[in-house]
């Protein structure tokens, strides 16, 4: 696998309203746990659309991994131009800091937001341009990742396309692992 797309919930879908919320550490640990074996096997690019939440946390994980694996690169390919236009100042700064460190930046549609079809086009682009998908998504809790998940499952019917889900159960296991590391035995 050379190119991996990563996506998942937006922060508010997880009840997270601050970028430094304690849960973020566990989400990033889960992403890192999934990424390391892939990077060790030759993963070259991670593809995100730059949406708030899982995607920007994944970008931060990539930047950390680049210290040990300098060949891993991050591409931010947005569904449309100026997607951050309506975001608050803190979120814009977070987004801009990720863009400043990304290895490649582009947009699927070379215009501002018009209609929801731009998100569908972005999802299609991600599936077709990647060799697999890592998605923080749990079918028990629907949300924005549902559309990308359903498209990936559909795509798998005719193509070899690895789809790895990080579920809430996986996150709970990460929490327990981290708590176990913290205790003195």
């Amino acid at each position: 696998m050379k190119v991996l797309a990563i996506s998942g919930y937006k922060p508010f879908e997880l009840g997270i309203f601050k970028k430094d919320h304690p849960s973020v550490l566990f989400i990033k640990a889960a992403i890192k746990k999934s990424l390391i074996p892939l990077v060790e096997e030759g993963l070259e690019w991670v593809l995100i659309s730059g949406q708030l939440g899982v995607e920007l946390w994944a970008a931060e994980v990539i930047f950390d991994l680049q210290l040990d694996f300098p060949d891993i690169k991050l591409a931010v390919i947005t569904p449309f131009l100026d997607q951050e236009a309506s975001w608050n100042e803190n979120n814009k700064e977070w987004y801009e800091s990720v863009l400043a460190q990304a290895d490649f930046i582009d947009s699927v549609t070379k215009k501002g937001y018009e209609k929801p079809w731009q998100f569908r086009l972005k999802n299609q682009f991600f599936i077709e341009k990647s060799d697999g998908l890592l998605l923080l998504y749990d079918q028990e809790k629907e949300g924005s990742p549902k559309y990308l998940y359903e498209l990936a499952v559909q795509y798998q019917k005719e193509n070899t396309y690895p789809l790895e889900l990080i579920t809430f159960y996986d996150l709970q296991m990460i929490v327990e692992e981290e708590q176990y590391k913290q205790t003195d035995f």
Side-chain angles (χ1 to χ4, degrees):
M1 184 177 310
K2 298 291 181 200
V3 180
L4 176 71
I6 300 181
S7 192
Y9 294 103
K10 295 177 175 92
F12 65 87
E13 292 177 302
L14 298 169
I16 296 174
F17 299 98
K18 284 190 179 155
K19 138 182 179 17
D20 58 354
H21 188 282
S23 300
V24 172
L25 296 173
F26 301 115
I27 292 169
K28 288 167 81 169
I31 293 168
K32 187 173 186 176
K33 185 176 181 179
S34 294
L35 275 177
I36 287 177
L38 298 173
V39 172
E40 288 173 340
E41 292 167 14
L43 180 67
E44 294 173 5
W45 283 92
V46 168
L47 178 61
I48 64 170
S49 70
Q51 81 180 16
L52 296 171
V54 170
E55 292 191 17
L56 293 188
W57 294 320
E60 292 173 342
V61 170
I62 295 299
F63 302 146
D64 289 343
L65 285 175
Q66 285 175 334
L67 301 172
D68 295 318
F69 302 96
D71 293 340
I72 185 75
K73 295 191 174 24
L74 177 71
V76 181
I77 301 182
T78 63
F80 45 84
L81 298 174
D82 301 320
Q83 76 171 342
E84 77 284 7
S86 64
W87 299 355
N88 70 39
E89 241 7 82
N90 289 339
N91 288 337
K92 283 182 185 179
E93 285 175 22
W94 182 22
Y95 177 72
E96 294 298 331
S97 75
V98 167
L99 291 183
Q101 298 173 74
D103 299 285
F104 183 81
I105 303 166
D106 202 355
S107 288
V108 177
T109 61
K110 311 288 190 237
K111 49 185 147 192
Y113 177 75
E114 291 178 353
K115 299 237 189 263
W117 64 264
Q118 289 167 297
F119 293 107
R120 288 192 295 276
L121 201 59
K122 181 265 305 177
N123 288 346
Q124 188 72 38
F125 179 89
F126 268 42
I127 300 289
E128 291 173 2
K129 297 297 181 188
S130 64
D131 303 318
L133 174 64
L134 175 60
L135 192 63
L136 175 57
Y137 179 64
D138 197 306
Q139 291 165 305
E140 303 289 312
K141 183 182 184 340
E142 286 197 353
S144 59
K146 172 187 169 188
Y147 304 102
L148 186 56
Y149 170 76
E150 289 174 349
L151 188 63
V153 168
Q154 191 65 37
Y155 189 74
Q156 282 181 319
K157 292 178 181 172
E158 296 176 20
N159 303 275
T160 303
Y161 190 77
L163 166 59
E164 181 182 346
L165 293 180
I166 298 173
T167 64
F168 293 126
Y169 177 79
D170 298 322
L171 291 177
Q172 185 59 41
M173 293 294 96
I174 295 281
V175 169
E176 289 174 19
E177 284 172 27
E178 294 299 317
Q179 287 172 339
Y180 182 76
K181 288 179 194 171
Q182 305 297 320
T183 55
D184 293 329
F185 282 109

